[in-house]
């Protein structure tokens, strides 16, 4: 038996043996990806007789059973290659498998608001089961980008602005999805490497003005944590540019940083069509040239269709433009991954697991848990929680009775809208290169009687097409109540009046009158406002949909003012991918909830919070600016910057007619009860290789059971380089019954606060470190100090990333 067929041989040896048997064309085939589209995968995959590295699926299916069979067919087609090399079928799975029947969890920014890696860990385990049971063995998820500009449309795909929080969440997702043995799991792909979350003008795919030091200390931290602590198996490049060098061609970033400095050993896949962008940006004169540049930089697999890694690459090898050893290097990585996944022994879906994976009621219950935990109470003058015996409630706003608006980007409902809305012509704003490439797979949009949606008055955003509404209702209405339906179920004896009032964009005020009349009749008004998150011209935020105004879109702010002017007790429920930036609301509206995009159980979760069946404890994972002029504003700024300028002696820095303080701080969030912090203890001294223990007692001093998110921040009191004024170090979310108290212990390594010195060496420096324990970055309850006794150079890839926390 050939060595590569022997399951007892280590993956690296099997890969080497198989590689030695392959022709150049067979090797390049393993660096390719292709889309399986339509109802028959053979139409697009039949030509790949040498095999293929990865397969993406874009098909019109309505159930997990259909997905399973479709993916089984893909494997049958590809296994006909001479060496019998199986494919890896990949899928988006940021908040659930992006295919029919899957459990859809809250958007990633909402998961960040839970401050609970354990919730993300369990979510990823559920996603893993649903993926492998229908044949998906690689997730192009999660987004590990640190997002520090809410103008950017992809903020909602991230866990927020803080590298330590993002690191904890990224490690949890990676561990949950890959599992203890990759043969039972799926490959996680961390993206987008690197610095994608902070761009010129907040624009998608723009240049990223980030220094080499900041890139490593901040933006690489979640990736490094996932590589070091969870053995991340795959990484996807960013579309961005660092120091005038596009990431897709940057040897410094993709090889020097990712592999040499950070120790990454897995497969590097391209973000869709990113090699083409070298031509668009006048960095390459042809696809052949672009492919050579990408391969030399360290890219392994070209996604989603082969354009550069084709006969172009073979010709370049034979012409001596690129060494075949570089091809071998990348092919070896792909093959090792396939051996680790056990695909040569079982390339098919784990069909026996599918029934439980998709129909276990515990998985929907976990989605509800995550949705509840993600809700942030930003303001409450005592109105909440609402009594269930109210006579009349007015439920207003575009989100109140919409299924689609419960879901964010990279979910199946958003994908339905992209497909039925013929969004390929706009393809999330990625430009003609993507549109043309997709048309090459799917063909041009058919003239089958489909009528494009009409735009909302006064803007270019399109209304939701009736066909989209019907398709989403057919798949989700039975198990996914809207906010309105959930409120009616919660209060069956209350008269609930619904009026849309306004749309998410545009200038249409014609529905104001109906909503105002509904509000006049009500004892309480619940007003849902925000955006629409997805792809293409139907959305206000998403991939390729950025903004220069971070307030509420269209006439929503005017609508809120007119409703509030009636003097009725009012709750604002904000639903968007970016945080609420509407200072007037904070001053005038009784209660405000940040509800993000909560997924399939979002209506129920919101109703539970509004009426006190669940006590909210979500926290802001991103700072909310008052206006675009404050950007960038985030926790972790350096002394003298942003709102920390006023705390830094000798700094002359202010806005002439504004304030530097944000609307809502990182970590901010209220509760229906109160918590007291006391009895802080901190290790007095520690060496660079030691551990710091920090303990305190937290008591629920209110009359309601609730959860608290205890947050740890640390300041370096004197360093050789500028350090954050106050750095988030970790958090612990836990429940306390009324009157109950618990003791909490944080454990951290001094290397968590390592930084790059003037020689670009990772160091921990001797000195005092101030510890802050609080309910938010702006609500500090306890303060202490520990002293690092010695200075030392360390290995940056092995440093600490976030504090561990446990209840005693």
């Amino acid at each position: 038996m050939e060595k590569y067929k022997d399951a007892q041989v280590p993956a690296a040896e099997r890969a080497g043996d198989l590689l030695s048997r392959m022709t150049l064309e067979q090797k390049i085939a393993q660096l390719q990806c292709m889309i399986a589209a339509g109802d028959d995968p053979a139409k697009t995959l039949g030509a790949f007789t040498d095999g293929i590295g990865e397969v993406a699926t874009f098909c019109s299916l309505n159930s997990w059973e259909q997905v399973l069979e479709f993916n089984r067919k893909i494997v049958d087609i590809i296994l006909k290659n001479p060496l019998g090399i199986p494919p890896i079928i990949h899928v988006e799975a940021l908040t659930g498998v992006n295919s029919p029947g899957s459990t859809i969890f809250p958007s990633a920014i909402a998961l960040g608001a839970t401050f609970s890696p354990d919730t993300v860990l369990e979510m990823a385990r559920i996603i893993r089961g649903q993926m492998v049971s229908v044949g998906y063995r690689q997730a192009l998820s999660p987004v590990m980008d640190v997002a520090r500009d809410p103008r950017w449309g992809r903020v909602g795909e991230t866990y927020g602005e803080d590298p330590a929080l993002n690191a904890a969440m990224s490690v949890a997702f990676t561990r949950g999805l890959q599992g203890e043995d990759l043969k039972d799991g799926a490959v996680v792909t961390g993206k987008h490497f690197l610095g994608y979350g902070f761009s010129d003008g907040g624009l998608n795919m723009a240049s990223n003005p980030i220094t080499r030091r900041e890139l490593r200390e901040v933006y690489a931290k979640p990736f490094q944590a996932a590589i070091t602590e969870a053995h991340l198996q795959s990484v996807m490049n960013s579309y961005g540019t660092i120091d005038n060098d596009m990431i897709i061609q940057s040897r410094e970033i993709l090889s020097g940083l990712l592999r040499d400095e950070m120790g990454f050993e897995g497969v590097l896949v391209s973000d869709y069509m990113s090699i083409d962008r070298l031509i668009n940006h006048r960095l390459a004169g042809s696809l052949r040239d672009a492919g050579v540049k990408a391969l030399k930089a360290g890219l392994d697999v070209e996604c989603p269709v082969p354009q550069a890694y084709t006969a172009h690459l073979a010709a370049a090898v034979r012409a001596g433009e690129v060494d075949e050893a570089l091809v071998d290097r990348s092919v070896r990585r792909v093959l090792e991954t396939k051996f680790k996944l056990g695909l040569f022994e079982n390339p098919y879906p784990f069909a026996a697991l599918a029934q439980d994976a998709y129909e276990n009621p515990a998985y929907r219950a976990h989605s509800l848990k995550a949705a509840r935990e993600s809700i942030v109470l930003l303001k409450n003058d005592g109105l909440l929680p609402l009594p269930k015996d109210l006579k009349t409630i007015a439920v207003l706003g575009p989100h109140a009775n919409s299924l689609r608006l419960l879901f964010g980007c990279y979910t199946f409902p958003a994908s339905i809208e992209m497909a039925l809305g013929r969004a390929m012509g706009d393809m999330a704003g990625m430009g003609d290169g993507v549109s043309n490439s997709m048309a090459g797979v799917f063909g041009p949009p058919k003239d089958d009687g489909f009528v494009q949606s009409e735009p909302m008055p006064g803007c270019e955003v399109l209304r939701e097409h009736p066909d989209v509404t019907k398709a989403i209702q057919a798949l989700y209405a039975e198990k996914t109540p809207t906010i309105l339906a959930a409120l009616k179920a919660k209060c069956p004896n209350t008269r609930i009046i619904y009026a849309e009032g306004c749309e998410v964009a545009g200038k249409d005020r014609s529905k104001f009158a109906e909503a105002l009349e509904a509000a006049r009749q009500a004892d309480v008004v619940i007003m849902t406002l925000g955006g629409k998150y997805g792809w293409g011209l139907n959305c206000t935020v998403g991939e390729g949909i950025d903004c220069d105004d971070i307030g509420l879109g269209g006439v929503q702010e005017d609508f809120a003012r007119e409703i509030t002017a009636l003097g009725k007790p009012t709750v604002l429920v904000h639903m968007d991918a970016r945080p609420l930036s509407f200072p007037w609301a904070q001053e005038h509206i009784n209660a405000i909830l940040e509800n993000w995009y909560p997924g399939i159980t979002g209506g129920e979760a919101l109703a539970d919070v509004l009426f006190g069946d669940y006590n909210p404890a979500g926290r802001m994972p991103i700072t909310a600016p008052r206006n675009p002029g404050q950007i960038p504003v985030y926790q972790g700024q350096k002394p003298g910057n942003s709102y920390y300028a006023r705390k830094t002696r000798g700094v002359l820095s202010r806005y002439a007619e504004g304030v530097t303080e944000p609307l809502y701080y990182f970590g901010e969030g209220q509760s229906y009860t109160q918590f007291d912090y006391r009895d802080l203890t901190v290790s007095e001294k520690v060496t660079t290789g030691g551990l710091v223990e920090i303990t305190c007692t937290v008591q629920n001093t209110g009359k309601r059971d609730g959860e608290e998110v205890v947050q740890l921040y640390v300041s370096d009191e004197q360093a050789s380089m500028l350090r954050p004024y106050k750095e988030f170090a970790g958090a612990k979310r836990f429940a306390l019954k009324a009157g109950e108290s618990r003791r909490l212990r944080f454990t951290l390594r001094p290397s968590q606060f390592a930084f790059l010195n003037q020689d670009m060496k990772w160091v921990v420096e001797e000195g005092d470190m101030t510890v802050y324990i609080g309910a938010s970055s702006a609500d500090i309850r306890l303060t202490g100090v520990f002293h690092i006794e010695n200075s030392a150079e360390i290995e940056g890839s092995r440093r600490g990333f976030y504090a561990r926390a446990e209840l005693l």
Side-chain angles (χ1 to χ4, degrees), residues 507-763:
K507 306 300 182 184
D508 186 5
R509 299 169 180 264
S510 64
K511 301 175 183 178
F512 276 27
E514 180 187 8
L516 286 165
E517 181 55 33
R520 290 188 186 97
Q521 298 179 46
D523 300 308
V524 169
V525 175
I526 298 172
M527 181 167 49
T528 64
L529 300 175
K532 185 177 184 181
Y533 185 22
W535 294 280
L537 295 175
N538 299 82
C539 297
T540 64
V541 62
E543 186 172 4
I545 312 170
D546 312 307
C547 71
D548 60 354
D549 184 349
I550 56 175
L552 295 173
V555 296
Q556 292 184 86
E557 292 187 0
D558 290 343
F559 177 69
R561 288 184 175 94
E562 292 198 25
I563 293 297
T564 305
L566 297 175
K568 297 286 185 174
T570 301
V571 182
L572 170 59
V573 178
H574 183 240
M575 298 180 65
D576 213 327
R578 53 177 61 95
L580 179 67
S581 292
F582 185 20
W584 185 93
Q586 177 64 22
E587 296 172 8
H588 295 89
I589 295 179
N590 303 95
I592 302 175
L593 291 166
E594 189 69 80
N595 197 39
W596 317 105
Y597 292 97
I600 57 171
T601 57
E604 299 158 80
L606 179 62
D608 288 344
V609 167
L610 286 168
F611 290 93
D613 292 328
Y614 183 82
N615 192 343
R619 298 292 185 265
M620 293 295 287
I622 185 169
T623 303
R626 293 176 178 272
N627 54 64
Q630 289 188 327
I631 298 170
V633 55
Y634 53 87
Q635 158 59 33
Q637 290 268 19
K638 307 300 192 300
N641 292 357
S642 188
Y643 59 93
Y644 289 121
R646 62 183 174 82
K647 299 182 179 181
T648 307
R649 189 171 57 186
V651 173
L652 298 177
S653 176
R654 66 182 181 88
Y655 294 121
E657 297 185 7
V659 297
T660 56
E661 286 74 15
L663 184 60
Y664 303 111
Y665 291 88
F666 176 84
E668 185 170 348
Q670 299 183 26
S671 172
Y672 296 153
T673 189
Q674 300 81 41
F675 298 92
D676 176 68
Y677 293 54
R678 64 177 184 271
D679 302 332
L680 175 69
T681 67
V682 182
S683 302
E684 291 185 8
K685 297 180 180 180
V686 63
T687 62
T688 54
L691 293 175
V692 178
E693 288 194 357
I694 302 161
T695 64
C696 68
T697 297
V698 180
Q699 182 175 10
N700 182 345
T701 57
K703 298 180 180 179
R704 287 179 173 270
D705 298 348
E707 297 170 51
E708 180 66 325
V709 179
V710 179
Q711 299 166 43
L712 171 65
Y713 298 84
V714 174
S715 290
D716 191 334
E717 291 304 316
Q718 184 173 339
S720 60
M721 303 295 291
L722 205 59
R723 303 299 302 140
Y725 188 92
K726 187 169 59 188
E727 182 175 352
F728 175 74
K732 179 65 174 178
R733 180 174 183 145
F734 57 99
L736 289 172
K737 295 184 180 300
E740 183 184 11
S741 63
R742 292 293 301 269
R743 193 135 183 94
L744 169 67
R745 177 169 62 203
F746 287 105
T747 305
L748 56 82
R749 296 157 57 194
S751 63
Q752 183 174 336
F753 309 103
F755 58 89
L756 291 162
N757 66 10
Q758 290 181 329
D759 298 321
M760 292 298 288
K761 302 292 186 182
W762 285 100
V763 295

Side-chain angles (χ1 to χ4, degrees), residues 437-458:
S437 299
M438 294 297 102
V441 174
F442 297 100
K446 297 178 181 179
D447 185 10
D448 55 5
F450 182 91
V451 179
Q452 188 181 40
S453 302
E454 62 181 7
M456 300 177 192

Side-chain angles (χ1 to χ4, degrees), residues 143-365:
V143 173
M144 298 182 181
D145 297 314
V146 174
R148 289 185 163 176
D149 191 334
R151 296 174 299 178
W152 185 45
R154 303 190 73 172
V155 166
E157 296 173 46
T158 77
Y159 297 123
E161 71 179 34
D162 189 85
L165 177 62
N166 285 20
M169 295 300 195
S170 296
V171 168
F173 188 100
T174 304
R175 284 175 172 163
L177 200 76
Q178 290 186 171
E180 295 182 4
D181 187 339
L182 203 58
K183 287 183 172 62
D184 301 320
V187 167
V188 169
T189 304
K191 61 184 186 184
H192 307 83
F193 197 83
L194 187 60
Y196 197 40
F198 186 68
S199 62
D200 278 344
L203 290 169
N204 197 47
M205 298 185 178
S207 296
N208 309 102
I210 304 170
T211 66
R212 293 177 68 243
R213 181 174 282 102
E214 194 87 352
L215 195 69
R216 288 160 170 78
E217 291 179 352
V218 174
Y219 295 91
K221 186 172 184 175
F223 293 89
Q224 184 69 81
I227 292 167
T228 302
E229 297 193 355
H231 309 293
L232 178 69
Q233 293 294 307
S234 179
V235 166
M236 177 183 283
N237 70 279
S238 159
Y239 288 117
T241 301
I242 300 290
D243 195 20
N244 296 331
D245 195 12
M246 286 193 71
I247 301 295
I248 190 65
Q249 71 163 16
S250 176
R251 298 186 198 186
E252 178 184 350
I253 300 297
L254 298 184
S255 292
L257 174 56
L258 179 60
R259 297 200 183 272
D260 298 340
E261 293 183 38
M262 298 175 65
F264 177 66
E265 297 179 346
V267 175
L268 179 61
V269 303
S270 79
D271 204 343
Y272 281 19
M273 317 312 302
S274 54
I275 295 180
D276 300 36
R277 287 173 55 78
L278 289 171
I279 300 173
N280 301 340
H281 284 62
R282 300 182 290 187
L283 293 170
S286 66
L287 280 169
R288 175 167 163 170
D289 183 22
V292 168
K293 286 176 178 287
L295 183 69
K296 287 182 175 180
L299 184 77
D300 297 320
V301 177
E302 179 186 17
C303 298
V305 295
Q307 291 189 295
Y309 282 14
T310 59
H312 293 307
L313 184 56
V317 171
R318 292 192 170 103
E321 296 171 24
V322 60
D323 193 331
E324 188 172 349
L326 292 181
V327 174
D328 291 350
R329 174 200 65 187
S330 291
V331 174
R332 185 184 298 274
R333 292 168 181 160
V334 172
L335 294 177
E336 283 193 29
T337 300
K338 291 184 176 184
F339 285 122
K340 290 177 183 177
L341 285 166
L343 292 178
F344 283 80
E345 288 67 56
N346 180 16
Y348 292 101
F350 295 2
L353 306 178
Q355 191 81 27
D356 180 68
Y358 280 86
E359 298 185 9
N360 190 327
Y363 300 160
R364 189 180 189 280

